[in-house]
Amino acid sequence: MESNGVESTFHADVVVVGAGLSGLVCAAEAYNAGRRVLVLDQEPEASLGGQAHWALGGLFLVDSPEQRRLGVKDTAELALSDWLGSAAFDRPEDHWARQWAQAYVNFAAGEKRAWLHSLGVRFFPLVQWAERGGYDAQGHGNSVPRFHVVWGTGPGILEPFLAKVAEGVAAGRVQLAFRHRAVALTVDAGRVTGVRGDVLAPSPAGRGGASSREVAGSFTATAGAVVATSGGIGGNHAMVRRQWPGTASPRHMLSGVPASVDGRFQQAVAAAGGRLVNTDRMWHYPEGIHDPDPVWPNHGVRILSGPSPLWLDATGRRLPVPLFPGFDTLGTLRHLGTTGWDHSWFVLNKTILGKEFALSGSADNPDLTGRDVKLLAKRALPGAAGPVQRFLDAGIDFLQATTAQELAAGMNGLIGEDLVDPQGLYETLAARDRQVTSGLGKDSQLNAIREARRFATDRLMRVVPPHPLLAPEHGPLIAVRLSTLTRKSLGGLQTDLASQVLDDNGRPIAGLFAAGEAAGFGGGGLHGYRALEGTFLGGCLFSGRSAGRGAAAATSS
């Protein structure tokens, strides 16, 4: 790096814009290929690793040893059928997304696990069943459990790539430039030759915390290839609202990602001719709750629930079949958007909460994140896990009561409006309980619970036996107010299978690559309309690896 007053100049073979998981994988691959790499990020060093640090660490794998040990019969053909049924590709812009989807499923069924295992990544043995669907065989959802939690969660996924990048830094072939915000590409004769941007003032912000945007200088960086790995838009609610599909966006939303996830460099690539597609496809969660100890502005956390809580709209009506907890995220979000209210409710009891409630993220799963077997064993004991108990005690969204009528009064008090009829709530719960005591019954949710308990993981740690919600021995009753939680962009910069960014005519832009959420996890949206879960971190791994190798091949050391 050469310094000239307030302007700095960098030279590298490959410039990577964004130090999240896809950027680190890309940098590691380019370094492995012998290239000199510069990684730029607008945040302080404390946030190295980006969103992946906060992730639960679930990965989509197909026909894995963990699945086979649990008696799960999975194939690449079944996984691809599930993927295509969920993606519902229906646009000309989906041409490359389809090819990325096929390639990713083959990766998940092939070398993905062995590659990660060779890097030291290990998996929790009890595979989880996310996004169960509940429609026909060609509709949305995972036919079998495929959500493999990394031992060490998100930080555990980051470890080998952080180590490889650190090796490159020690060798003098990788440079990390924090507080360097790329704002534009530089182009010469149709080829991307680097980036320019702002040097931001030092910030004491901790990991995930909001950092200042005070500009202290400028920089330029020249390279044989530039890779955009700058993430999505979930922290930029104004952009989320502009891109919201169909109906109006919720008036109140929580942020499931830091404010730095702002989509700005993605827009800069588009301004330079990169094709940005499927921006109306997003993956936000309807089960968000306020974090009582927020790290970033408007910080929310997602509840990972088993299938037993009743899901009610703002007025206390049960959501339609099959919109049960864990079955169809986007379908639930769309339905709630038609109700006219920004919130919904889980209603359950203490027995259900103790076994079925978990929270998504590394911070709220200290046993898995810390690889602490003794702490993990406590999950088998009665009662809520420590992080869940913290929300129950201090969270503003949690209510407890001994009767349905008292619970309804509390729900109305929290909202400040009498939306839930106390007697109506009692009758809803009592009708559901009569289906339990019948021994058979017609309630689709109860039948789904019984079916879930056929799977070993659900029976052991995720799903309680059906029982009357109103039974005092299972009390108290609990209501949880739920809000929309912003999280992922499913669209992005369109790329070919070598991760080259394409222009509006479908031609690769020389010297320009993209990976991770900035590229819709590959091809401008390999998920289509819906995700099968465990596919975001995996998409960063797959596309980051492709981009690193592609950028290295396009340059010479």
Side-chain angles (χ1 to χ4, degrees):
M1 180 185 77
E2 299 172 0
S3 180
N4 180 21
V6 295
E7 182 163 355
S8 302
T9 303
F10 298 88
H11 306 280
D13 298 319
V14 177
V15 169
V16 179
V17 181
L21 177 60
S22 60
L24 292 171
V25 174
C26 176
E29 289 291 334
Y31 163 68
N32 274 337
R35 304 298 181 259
R36 293 175 296 116
V37 183
L38 169 66
V39 181
L40 303 168
D41 199 279
Q42 67 182 357
E43 295 307 298
E45 185 174 2
S47 287
L48 179 62
Q51 296 177 61
H53 173 86
W54 302 100
L56 180 59
L59 293 178
F60 178 95
L61 295 175
V62 178
D63 191 27
S64 69
E66 290 78 15
Q67 286 175 300
R68 293 194 293 271
R69 289 189 200 103
L70 293 169
V72 175
K73 299 176 181 178
D74 199 9
T75 65
E77 292 77 14
L78 179 61
L80 183 60
S81 176
D82 286 348
W83 193 290
L84 295 178
S86 300
F89 295 123
D90 62 356
R91 298 173 177 174
E93 295 90 341
D94 290 331
H95 168 75
W96 284 105
R98 285 177 179 271
Q99 296 192 47
W100 271 91
Q102 173 80 62
Y104 181 71
V105 170
N106 288 340
F107 176 62
E111 64 175 309
K112 180 179 179 181
R113 186 185 182 281
W115 174 59
L116 291 172
H117 200 271
S118 72
L119 297 175
V121 176
R122 298 294 183 266
F123 295 95
F124 182 60
L126 297 178
V127 183
Q128 308 292 310
W129 197 346
E131 286 296 301
R132 301 172 191 236
Y135 303 96
D136 62 36
Q138 293 179 296
H140 169 63
N142 285 294
S143 297
V144 297
R146 298 190 175 106
F147 192 83
H148 296 65
V149 177
V150 168
W151 189 231
T153 65
I157 294 176
L158 285 166
E159 278 179 5
F161 306 104
L162 287 170
K164 179 58 66 173
V165 168
E167 176 190 309
V169 170
R173 299 190 66 82
V174 175
Q175 185 173 1
L176 299 172
F178 300 104
R179 302 299 283 160
H180 283 66
R181 177 176 62 188
V183 299
L185 296 167
T186 56
V187 182
D188 183 18
R191 181 181 184 87
V192 171
T193 58
V195 300
R196 58 180 176 81
D198 301 322
V199 179
L200 302 179
S203 170
R207 181 181 292 278
S211 61
S212 79
R213 292 295 177 259
E214 178 186 352
V215 176
S218 62
F219 74 91
T220 59
T222 60
V226 173
V227 188
T229 61
S230 51
I233 67 172
N236 186 340
H237 285 202
M239 191 173 291
V240 169
R241 294 183 192 285
R242 286 198 298 271
Q243 296 180 186
W244 194 271
T247 58
S249 63
R251 289 158 295 185
H252 170 69
M253 296 187 291
L254 299 174
S255 289
V257 295
S260 58
V261 186
D262 58 21
R264 295 185 185 278
F265 190 69
Q266 194 183 57
Q267 298 294 321
V269 174
R275 191 182 190 198
L276 190 57
V277 298
N278 300 319
T279 57
D280 60 328
R281 294 177 181 169
M282 295 180 279
W283 191 253
H284 306 308
Y285 292 109
E287 313 103 318
I289 53 176
H290 296 78
D291 194 313
D293 187 19
V295 175
W296 53 79
N298 209 25
H299 188 170
V301 174
R302 183 195 179 199
I303 294 177
L304 291 175
S305 176
S308 297
L310 294 188
W311 204 330
L312 311 179
D313 68 16
T315 64
R317 292 175 296 186
R318 288 180 72 175
L319 303 193
V321 175
L323 304 183
F324 315 132
F327 278 66
D328 181 1
T329 294
L330 186 62
T332 303
L333 193 63
R334 284 177 173 171
H335 172 77
L336 292 173
T338 69
T339 66
W341 303 96
D342 289 346
H343 70 279
S344 61
W345 297 95
F346 278 162
V347 172
L348 60 156
N349 57 32
K350 190 173 182 179
T351 295
I352 294 172
L353 179 135
K355 189 166 187 176
E356 298 200 13
F357 261 28
L359 301 167
S360 180
S362 59
D364 291 307
N365 290 275
D367 47 1
L368 294 166
T369 302
R371 302 181 175 98
D372 189 328
V373 176
K374 291 183 179 179
L375 187 59
L376 181 65
K378 292 183 179 180
R379 293 200 184 210
L381 300 176
V388 174
Q389 188 65 46
R390 177 173 72 93
F391 278 79
L392 185 63
D393 294 339
I396 65 172
D397 299 300
F398 285 71
L399 300 167
Q400 300 182 66
T402 56
T403 69
Q405 291 86 347
E406 291 174 1
L407 191 65
M411 294 159 73
N412 291 332
L414 183 61
I415 300 302
E417 191 171 353
D418 290 339
L419 298 179
V420 178
D421 173 52
Q423 186 60 25
L425 179 61
Y426 167 77
E427 291 174 358
T428 295
L429 271 58
R432 179 263 185 203
D433 286 356
R434 284 192 291 271
Q435 296 291 303
V436 174
T437 56
S438 75
L440 294 171
K442 61 184 179 183
D443 190 290
S444 296
Q445 184 172 2
L446 287 171
N447 291 333
I449 293 167
R450 295 183 182 108
E451 185 67 16
R453 284 182 55 80
R454 293 177 55 203
F455 174 52
T457 298
D458 283 343
R459 187 171 61 254
L460 288 170
M461 62 177 293
R462 288 293 288 157
V463 185
V464 299
H467 62 273
L469 282 173
L470 294 170
E473 63 270 25
H474 293 288
L477 291 171
I478 297 167
V480 186
R481 179 181 58 180
L482 308 173
S483 303
T484 299
L485 180 74
T486 64
R487 187 62 67 85
K488 298 296 181 187
S489 316
L490 297 187
L493 296 164
Q494 193 168 54
T495 57
D496 62 18
L497 288 177
S499 292
Q500 297 178 102
V501 176
L502 307 179
D503 65 17
D504 285 336
N505 294 312
R507 295 188 296 258
I509 298 174
L512 183 59
F513 299 78
E517 195 172 353
F521 302 95
L526 63 79
H527 295 93
Y529 287 94
R530 281 178 164 95
L532 289 173
E533 293 288 15
T535 56
F536 300 126
L537 293 175
C540 289
L541 293 168
F542 187 51
S543 62
R545 190 176 77 155
S546 169
R549 293 176 179 180
T555 62
S556 58
S557 181

